[in-house]
């Protein structure tokens, strides 16, 4: 079938495209910057990654959507807008406002093109009584997409363990660069990190699985606190770091300090840390069985991610 992948230059999209090609699908990609997609796919080790039509378009303005969705049966929506708008951008406002505009544009164009299914990768909301702005935005995008194309599927993940996952890279940089790991109160919250390989298999399976109109929580087999997760990452990196726990979260201050230490975008880190208001666990464990995916352990996921990372960049003490 003909499949469109948005966000194809991102870590999930760049891995998904070759996986879909290996399944015999005709794949095209939508991007504002075609060169970034081409570079990302060339970096992929999978065969056939060059057999992709890269189309120029912009979900925020709607430019190019009609052409990109023509003849498409399944469209992957792998776009998030967590950083501030670039200077001079025509679309300003918060990331939540941009997410909503982009989702509405894409949903409207997909409906006109008679797309049969949109597959969206969002976030687990867990037991938070009031989801953060970041997670609430993910839910709103999900509502828009599934409401427009009833046969669509939303996969909800917490932290994805992968060499290009910005959440994982943030944790690795903290371990590398902090002589003492000072962790706020959210260190005791639990989550279910998932291997990027499992996410890609689930995304690929979601194109045809009998799961239309559903939202599925996806996660790995291990339930870990953030403190346990960071400690195990340090162990697997062969680094010893003392830990100091704080009784409060001080998210506005801590997130910006952490962003500076890890050289990350402050808006991204603020949004991520504001999401840590409680456990982020799956509501059920049906997704892996429904999508036919055998899950990797947390340690296996981290070892794989670190190996891939080291192919292009050295890591401390490895």
């Amino acid at each position: 079938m003909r499949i469109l992948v948005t966000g194809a230059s991102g870590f999930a999209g760049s891995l998904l495209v070759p996986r879909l090609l290996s399944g015999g699908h005709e794949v095209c990609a939508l991007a504002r910057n075609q060169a970034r997609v081409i570079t990302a796919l060339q970096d992929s080790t999978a065969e056939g990654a060059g057999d992709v039509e890269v189309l120029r378009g912009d979900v925020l303005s709607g430019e190019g959507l009609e052409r990109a969705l023509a003849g498409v049966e399944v469209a992957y929506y792998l776009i998030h807008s967590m950083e501030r708008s670039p200077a001079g951008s025509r679309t300003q406002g918060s990331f939540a406002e941009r997410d909503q505009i982009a989702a509405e544009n894409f949903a409207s164009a997909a409906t006109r093109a008679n797309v049969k299914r949109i597959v969206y990768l969002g976030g687990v909301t867990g037991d938070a009584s009031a989801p953060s702005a970041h997670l609430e935005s993910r839910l709103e995008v999900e509502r828009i997409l599934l409401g427009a194309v009833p046969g669509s599927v939303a996969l909800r993940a917490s932290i994805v363990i992968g060499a290009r996952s910005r959440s994982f890279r943030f944790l690795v940089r903290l371990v590398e660069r902090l002589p003492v790991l000072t962790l706020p109160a959210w260190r005791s919250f639990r989550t279910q990190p998932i291997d990027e390989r499992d996410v890609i298999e689930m995304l690929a399976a979601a194109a045809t699985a009998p799961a239309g109109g559903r939202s599925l929580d996806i996660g790995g087999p291990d339930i870990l606190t953030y403190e346990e997760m960071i400690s195990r990452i340090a162990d697997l990196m062969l680094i010893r770091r003392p830990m100091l726990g704080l009784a409060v979260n001080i998210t506005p201050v801590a997130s910006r300090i952490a962003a500076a230490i890890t050289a990350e975008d402050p808006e991204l880190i603020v949004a991520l840390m504001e999401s840590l208001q409680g456990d982020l666990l799956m509501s059920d464990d049906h997704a892996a069985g429904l999508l036919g995916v055998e899950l990797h352990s947390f340690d296996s996921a981290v070892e794989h991610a670190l190996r891939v990372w080291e192919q292009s960049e050295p890591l401390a003490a490895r």
Side-chain angles (χ1 to χ4, degrees):
M1 70 174 69
R2 182 170 175 82
I3 294 177
L4 173 70
V5 177
T6 66
S9 64
F11 92 93
S14 62
L15 294 172
L16 177 63
V17 166
R19 173 63 183 83
L20 294 172
L21 288 169
S22 70
H25 299 293
E26 177 188 356
V27 182
C28 55
L30 177 73
R32 286 179 298 178
N33 187 329
Q34 293 165 288
R36 283 185 61 189
V37 174
I38 294 170
T39 298
L41 295 180
Q42 286 174 341
D43 290 341
S44 170
T45 57
E47 293 184 7
D51 301 329
V52 177
E53 182 182 10
V54 182
L55 304 170
R56 188 179 185 281
D58 185 350
V59 291
L60 280 169
S61 68
E63 176 191 358
L65 291 183
E66 181 177 354
R67 179 189 173 202
L69 288 163
V72 166
E73 295 177 67
V74 175
Y76 284 87
Y77 194 83
L78 306 176
I79 297 173
H80 301 307
S81 305
M82 289 174 65
E83 297 95 342
R84 63 172 62 91
S85 295
S89 172
R90 291 177 295 173
T91 308
Q92 299 295 323
S94 69
F95 71 82
E97 292 170 329
R98 297 195 303 276
D99 268 349
Q100 181 175 344
I101 292 169
E104 288 173 346
N105 286 341
F106 192 81
S108 178
T111 300
R112 292 194 302 271
N114 198 31
V115 171
K116 300 298 186 294
R117 174 171 290 184
I118 298 173
V119 180
Y120 172 60
L121 180 60
V124 170
T125 57
D127 60 4
S129 57
S132 68
H134 158 51
L135 291 177
E136 182 57 43
S137 177
R138 298 292 180 264
L139 288 175
E140 179 60 20
V141 169
E142 180 182 306
R143 287 191 286 265
I144 292 168
L145 298 177
L146 269 65
V149 180
S152 297
V153 178
L155 303 183
R156 299 173 174 175
S158 58
I159 180 171
V160 179
I161 306 300
R164 292 185 61 204
S165 164
R166 291 176 73 178
S167 298
F168 176 68
R169 292 178 71 88
F170 170 68
L171 296 180
V172 170
R173 290 306 190 199
L174 286 179
V175 170
E176 275 191 317
R177 297 174 181 178
L178 283 177
V180 177
L181 292 169
T182 304
L183 303 179
W186 51 253
R187 69 186 181 280
S188 63
F189 295 144
R190 300 173 300 161
T191 190
Q192 289 178 262
I194 183 169
D195 192 314
E196 69 176 8
R197 293 169 292 183
D198 301 336
V199 173
I200 298 307
E201 287 303 314
M202 289 183 176
L203 284 169
T208 56
R214 295 186 62 177
S215 300
L216 299 171
D217 286 355
I218 62 173
D222 300 312
I223 296 177
L224 302 168
T225 66
Y226 285 90
E227 182 173 0
E228 290 170 337
M229 191 162 49
I230 292 171
S231 176
R232 286 168 72 166
I233 289 173
D235 287 344
L236 291 165
M237 292 178 68
L238 307 179
I239 293 176
R240 296 293 177 263
R241 292 284 187 263
M243 287 194 178
L244 175 64
L246 301 179
V248 294
N249 277 331
I250 56 171
T251 294
V253 175
S255 56
R256 295 189 182 279
I257 293 173
I261 291 170
T262 59
E264 256 295 1
D265 188 293
E267 300 302 316
L268 171 70
I269 303 306
V270 169
L272 290 175
M273 284 197 179
E274 286 179 345
S275 302
L276 304 178
Q277 301 176 9
D279 292 342
L280 291 177
L281 302 176
M282 296 189 298
S283 59
D284 59 56
D285 59 358
H286 302 329
L290 178 64
L291 300 174
V293 176
E294 186 173 346
L295 300 172
H296 292 85
S297 70
F298 176 76
D299 286 358
S300 174
V302 173
E303 285 284 16
H304 171 76
L306 294 177
R307 282 197 304 271
V308 174
W309 191 331
E310 288 178 304
Q311 290 174 7
S312 59
E313 181 182 354
L315 283 167
R318 290 275 294 178

